[in-house]
Amino acid sequence: MNTLLIVIYVVFAAAALLTLWRIVIGPSILDRAVASDVLLTEVLCVLGAEMAINQHTRTLPVMLIIAAVGVFGSISIARFVARRDQER
């Protein structure tokens, strides 16, 4: 395995652990939503780095689906929080 790929995996694994920590202890739903977006972005970055290093485009559809899930999830949470704030 390429040394650069190992370094990338270690850095992103540390960032993912910190992000998971934020998801677990996040004081509000918005903190957890932002942390989940960051986690999805980290997954996209790892897949993109792996694609660039190994010079292929096989994981591109997976990246597009993950990005779409992240966008629609963020929109859903924002609408839920906005509606809940209006009811108060």
Side-chain angles (χ1 to χ4, degrees), residues 21-82:
W21 182 255
R22 174 55 66 188
I23 290 173
V24 170
I25 66 161
S28 70
I29 190 169
L30 292 177
D31 291 330
R32 291 183 172 114
V34 170
S36 66
D37 278 346
V38 170
L39 188 61
L40 286 177
T41 304
E42 289 171 6
V43 170
L44 286 174
C45 289
V46 167
L47 289 175
E50 191 271 331
M51 243 175 40
I53 290 172
N54 292 328
Q55 299 177 349
H56 66 83
T57 58
R58 290 187 301 262
T59 55
L60 192 58
V62 175
M63 291 174 65
L64 290 174
I65 291 171
I66 290 173
V69 167
V71 168
F72 294 130
S74 296
I75 291 170
S76 300
I77 291 173
R79 289 180 60 101
F80 172 74
V81 170

